[in-house]
Amino acid sequence: MVTSVPVDPKPIPASAGPKVERRGARGANAAPQAPPQASTVAWLLAVVALSCALRLWIFNGLHGHDDWMYLFHIRNFLNGSTQDLLSSLWGLRWGVWLPIAILFKLFGVHYWLAFAPGFIMGLASIPLAYGIAFRISRETRVARWATLALAINP
């Protein structure tokens, strides 16, 4: 003998069930994000200072073929020769050697100026990494760990 189960003719409303908080991308009507707290800014400044100290302590100067090839192309570029820029892989990396060439042109050729753009961009990437990690995770703890991992790996 088969018994049938009565079917409820009323549909289940969409609002039924537990509320689930959405994480991740912000909607168009979302409130603007508040500025970072003073403790976060102080922590970021401390991590940037730590990273700066580590980078200066571990710094070992020019090494490898790449550094010398960039400086070779910078010298030729500043002397007016652009012939070899298109024929070499290192000459095509404008984003690497052009900021150094501009610094050399403005302040003269100095050993430390060759490393200034990479050094400054490396330190600037630390707060940027915090912002990206916080935007993805929405947790200060995760963002701080991600930032610290970047800061101690110069």
Side-chain angles (χ1 to χ4, degrees), residues 1-16:
M1 176 170 209
V2 177
T3 60
S4 63
V5 178
V7 177
D8 189 8
K10 294 183 289 184
I12 299 173
S15 62

Side-chain angles (χ1 to χ4, degrees), residues 26-31:
R26 295 171 47 189
N29 297 329

Side-chain angles (χ1 to χ4, degrees), residues 63-81:
H63 62 281
H65 188 254
D66 290 1
D67 290 342
W68 295 107
M69 287 304 294
Y70 292 133
L71 292 177
F72 170 76
H73 288 294
I74 291 169
R75 183 194 66 191
N76 289 345
F77 179 74
L78 292 177
N79 289 334
S81 171

Side-chain angles (χ1 to χ4, degrees), residues 5-127:
V5 178
V7 177
D8 189 8
K10 294 183 289 184
I12 299 173
S15 62
K19 296 287 185 190
V20 178
E21 181 183 340
R22 256 186 93 203
R23 299 178 103 184
R26 295 171 47 189
N29 297 329
Q33 191 173 4
Q37 296 178 349
S39 63
T40 300
V41 173
W43 188 83
L44 280 173
L45 288 174
V47 171
V48 168
L50 169 72
S51 180
C52 182
L54 280 173
R55 289 166 196 252
L56 290 174
W57 181 50
I58 297 173
F59 180 73
N60 58 0
L62 292 171
H63 62 281
H65 188 254
D66 290 1
D67 290 342
W68 295 107
M69 287 304 294
Y70 292 133
L71 292 177
F72 170 76
H73 288 294
I74 291 169
R75 183 194 66 191
N76 289 345
F77 179 74
L78 292 177
N79 289 334
S81 171
T82 58
Q83 180 178 354
D84 61 335
L85 291 179
L86 298 177
S87 64
S88 169
L89 173 66
W90 293 275
L92 293 174
R93 294 180 179 170
W94 292 78
V96 175
W97 65 262
L98 191 59
I100 300 169
I102 292 170
L103 287 176
F104 281 180
K105 189 70 171 174
L106 291 175
F107 302 110
V109 178
H110 299 287
Y111 185 76
W112 286 97
L113 284 179
F115 305 103
F119 187 81
I120 292 168
M121 286 184 247
L123 293 178
S125 69
I126 294 170

